[in-house]
Amino acid sequence: MPEGLIVKAISGFYYVEHEGRVIQCKGRGVFRNRGISPLVGDLVTFHQEGDNDATITEVHDRKNELVRPPIANVDQSLLVFSIIEPDLSLHLLDRFLVIVESLGIEPIICLTKRDIAGEKQLAFADTAVSYYKKIGYDVLETHRDDSSLLASLQPYLSGKTSVLAGQSGVGKSTLLNTLLPELQLKTGEISEALGRGRHTTRHVELMKVAGGLVADTPGFSSLDFEHIEREELRNYFIEMDRLSSECKFRGCLHLKEPGCAVKQAVEEGEVLQQRYDNYLQFLQEITDRKPRYM
Ligand code: ZN
């Protein structure tokens, strides 16, 4: 039976791309019984009876899934942050990085508004950029209205499913309009749509850009650590994760344990103090959260 990718879902219909064509499919009740609801981004098997009668018969295993926006199998996220207006927040950036790392999504950090930043903000951004690059992240920097952005993003988009995310007011709508000119969203429009309930019924669509797929949404809005356990958090700070094999104790939480390689690296300036502080703060947040009731 043919397989395809769900690129759009509207009022009970799924639009499945298969060999260059988009086929409108119905879902099958059987999914609901198993608690599975097909999502945009799902690879599915479908059964076609006539020209206008196709049904999804199987949803293939997912590598991950986002709740808002509802998308499955996201490969990477463009984390959009500005250097100024609003100022770059490493706390928020690390929060996004932890979330995407925990979902197995590859982050690409995009810093905007370089051209209008003052000396102080630039110096801060440059220090941050060199650190995040050093630990292995891709960082792209752009001016406010930069037409070269698409060109610099292109090699990253090819063959992947990408979702935008980031601080509000940083130019996500501008970036999305540059990537998807047919979308023509008004600047500001989608920042309002970000998890405010007003546009929650708006459907999500995967659009073709530069040989890849980009979701036409400002990105995920849930930034809590509900799904992350206390002992798990350290894995999502990638440079600390690499160092942890040198800690004296297996399972070191890098708090007050003796012989902790992470704490030593922080003291020597190898690990950015702010990253470590954010780790401690997130750990506290997870420790303090109310137990979940099933
Ligand atoms: Zn340690």
Side-chain angles (χ1 to χ4, degrees):
M1 274 198 278
E3 292 176 1
L5 182 82
I6 301 181
V7 291
K8 185 165 70 165
I10 305 174
S11 36
F13 287 103
Y14 302 94
Y15 296 82
V16 177
E17 186 169 296
H18 169 72
E19 293 178 351
R21 285 196 310 140
V22 174
I23 296 150
Q24 178 181 301
C25 296
K26 285 173 292 194
R28 226 166 52 167
V30 64
F31 300 124
R32 270 185 290 278
N33 299 339
R34 284 189 284 143
I36 299 169
S37 166
L39 289 175
V40 168
D42 266 331
L43 184 65
V44 296
T45 301
F46 62 95
H47 175 68
Q48 196 164 17
E49 273 163 23
D51 275 351
N52 293 312
D53 195 7
T55 308
I56 292 172
T57 55
E58 193 192 340
V59 177
H60 296 220
D61 287 344
R62 289 170 187 154
K63 109 175 184 181
N64 57 36
E65 65 179 88
L66 301 180
V67 178
R68 253 157 75 182
I71 306 180
N73 302 317
V74 176
D75 295 312
Q76 68 187 5
S77 180
L78 312 178
L79 302 182
V80 190
F81 281 75
S82 61
I83 295 173
I84 190 172
E85 294 172 9
D87 284 355
L88 176 61
S89 159
L90 297 192
H91 178 93
L92 200 55
L93 176 59
D94 283 341
R95 197 170 264 276
F96 274 97
L97 285 170
V98 164
I99 305 272
V100 298
E101 290 287 348
S102 71
L103 294 167
I105 296 172
E106 194 79 28
I108 296 172
I109 302 167
C110 303
L111 291 184
T112 63
K113 304 188 192 175
R114 194 176 169 89
D115 51 333
I116 57 165
E119 231 172 86
K120 214 176 117 198
Q121 288 95 354
L122 278 181
F124 177 66
D126 287 344
T127 310
V129 167
S130 57
Y131 183 75
Y132 286 93
K133 279 186 176 167
K134 183 185 89 173
I135 62 174
Y137 286 125
D138 288 312
V139 185
L140 303 176
E141 289 185 84
T142 71
H143 296 318
R144 195 167 26 168
D145 298 302
D146 200 345
S147 53
S148 68
L149 181 63
L150 186 55
S152 47
L153 267 176
Q154 237 150 25
Y156 294 98
L157 298 177
S158 174
K160 293 192 172 148
T161 298
S162 307
V163 173
L164 256 74
Q167 219 167 351
S168 52
V170 296
K172 283 199 297 282
S173 33
T174 310
L175 177 55
L176 210 49
N177 278 335
T178 312
L179 290 172
L180 312 169
E182 64 273 38
L183 208 60
Q184 293 299 331
L185 283 170
K186 285 188 211 88
T187 302
E189 183 181 329
I190 52 175
S191 57
E192 272 177 51
L194 187 79
R196 298 289 180 267
R198 259 181 68 191
H199 298 261
T200 45
T201 51
R202 192 178 164 269
H203 72 268
V204 179
E205 186 167 350
L206 290 174
M207 320 269 280
K208 279 188 189 159
V209 186
L213 295 164
V214 175
D216 64 342
T217 139
F220 48 90
S221 52
S222 177
L223 282 181
D224 60 51
F225 299 135
E226 277 300 301
H227 60 294
I228 298 173
E229 297 302 328
R230 192 168 177 263
E231 293 71 26
E232 211 186 323
L233 179 68
R234 59 188 168 195
N235 308 338
Y236 307 136
F237 282 80
I238 56 172
E239 75 279 45
M240 300 186 203
D241 184 46
R242 281 193 295 261
L243 282 166
S244 63
S245 60
E246 294 165 35
C247 292
K248 187 173 173 190
F249 296 104
R250 262 187 80 187
C252 180
L253 279 173
H254 321 312
L255 295 170
K256 295 203 165 87
E257 299 92 334
C260 172
V262 169
K263 286 225 59 161
Q264 195 188 330
V266 174
E267 275 159 34
E268 289 166 359
E270 271 300 298
V271 165
L272 197 68
Q273 181 72 45
Q274 257 174 298
R275 283 271 287 173
Y276 181 68
D277 292 344
N278 287 337
Y279 168 71
L280 294 183
Q281 211 176 324
F282 299 164
L283 194 69
Q284 194 59 47
E285 192 177 319
I286 292 171
T287 309
D288 290 347
R289 80 179 162 208
K290 293 193 181 78
R292 270 170 288 184
Y293 298 101
M294 305 303 278

